[in-house]
Amino acid sequence: MSFHPIEQAPARLNRSELAVPGSQPQLLEKAAKSDADVVFLDLEDAVAPDDKVQARKNIIEALNDLDWSGKSVSVRINGLDTHFMYRDVVDVVEQAGANLDLIMIPKVGTAADVYAVDMLVTQIEDAKGYQKRIGFEHIIETALGMQNVTEIAGASKRNESLHFGVADYAASTRARTTVIGGVNEDYSVLTDPDKDGNRDVHWGDMWHYAISRMVVAARANGLRPLDGPFGDFSDPDGYRAAAKRAAVIGCEGKWAIHPSQIELANEVMSPSDAEVTKAKRIIEAMEQAAKEGKGAVSLDGRLIDYASIRQAEVLVEKANQIAGG
Ligand code: GLV
Ligand code: MG
């Protein structure tokens, strides 16, 4: 390990993160009763400009009046380039900050953006005498945000998670796609012809680099990386595949832009019984190896060593967190 310690953000179950527009009070009520680990109440892109003021009021009421127990609750404020943002923070934190776990900052571009919101939130928390500190979630969804993702990840003690906002990221990087998440047939590899002249097309994941880069910045700063939205809520298999791709490279959760995606996210982002059993066997085998003075042994015909213990512990720790959560 490096001599540089990585301080971990507070542990919080975050397999699913449900998005709900603040302009629709009936959906806020449903969200509070859902099985989502985290719900974010949206003031940004799911709310039309004319509805922003009412949405803010609805969210304050929902935070104060609904029962959010068993889950974490976040508010997605408007971007720092809008005139809505300061009042989002001031009104929501002043009037409902005691019931708020997280603030989600969209389109964050630089560490200074994080600093600005931190300053505002800190002043309000101090003025109101809140004991609990509100955490930050950042959506990495612009070319600037991705360029500065490492500095953003380390910019505040409040930081808890980074989220890949695929739709805005596509727009910002001018990617030629209009779907929200998922794959694109134009991002593919054509194999050379075989002896009969047949060629295969292998679809790739056009978001692989972006998500991987964000995962590294998040983990190097002790934060949770999450994959963002998958727009086609009538395609559970496509959602599951996207969530699995994100999970295997280190994401802890995925957004649900529709209630039907909550269960899928919770399922995919929880290690399976078979994975946990295997992880426990690895730990036991390595304990036995240590007693015998060995650093590496074989299990089921494969080499395992001390790095295997660390891999296995990640899975067992996650399973324990879920069981306790
Ligand atoms: C989320 O905000 C996205 O732009 O995908
Ligand atoms: Mg966005």
Side-chain angles (χ1 to χ4, degrees), residues 80-81 106-113 139-153 168-174 213:
L80 276 83
D81 57 330
K107 299 179 185 65
V108 57
T110 67
D113 289 345
I139 317 183
I140 304 301
E141 53 182 345
T142 61
L144 185 64
M146 192 60 84
Q147 174 174 271
N148 295 323
V149 65
T150 306
E151 291 75 22
I152 290 167
D168 273 304
Y169 187 77
S172 173
T173 55
R174 303 191 182 209
R213 183 168 173 182

Side-chain angles (χ1 to χ4, degrees), residues 203-263:
W203 290 33
D205 176 7
M206 66 188 285
W207 308 117
H208 175 76
Y209 164 74
I211 298 179
S212 298
R213 183 168 173 182
M214 186 195 76
V215 167
V216 171
R219 293 301 187 192
N221 288 278
L223 313 183
R224 297 184 294 277
L226 274 92
D227 191 20
F230 184 88
D232 186 355
F233 55 81
S234 60
D235 179 12
D237 291 340
Y239 180 94
R240 208 181 261 112
K244 280 186 178 175
R245 283 196 303 278
V248 293
I249 58 169
C251 284
E252 273 199 52
K254 181 161 174 64
W255 286 16
I257 48 102
H258 186 270
S260 64
Q261 295 178 337
I262 298 171
E263 201 186 320

Side-chain angles (χ1 to χ4, degrees), residues 42-54:
D42 195 13
L43 285 169
E44 200 220 14
D45 279 354
V47 178
D50 287 350
D51 296 339
K52 300 272 189 201
V53 172
Q54 186 57 46

Side-chain angles (χ1 to χ4, degrees), residues 17 43 47 57 92 101-102 124 134 166 225 229 242 275 284:
E17 179 132 355
L43 285 169
V47 178
K57 288 186 185 145
V92 172
D101 300 302
L102 299 157
I124 304 168
I134 295 167
V166 66
E275 282 173 297
E284 278 163 22

Side-chain angles (χ1 to χ4, degrees), residues 16 55 59 107 109 159 187 190 197 203 206 230 253 258 266 273 295 312:
S16 50
I59 284 179
K107 299 179 185 65
N159 285 359
Y187 196 81
L190 186 63
W203 290 33
M206 66 188 285
F230 184 88
H258 186 270
N266 287 349
D273 289 348

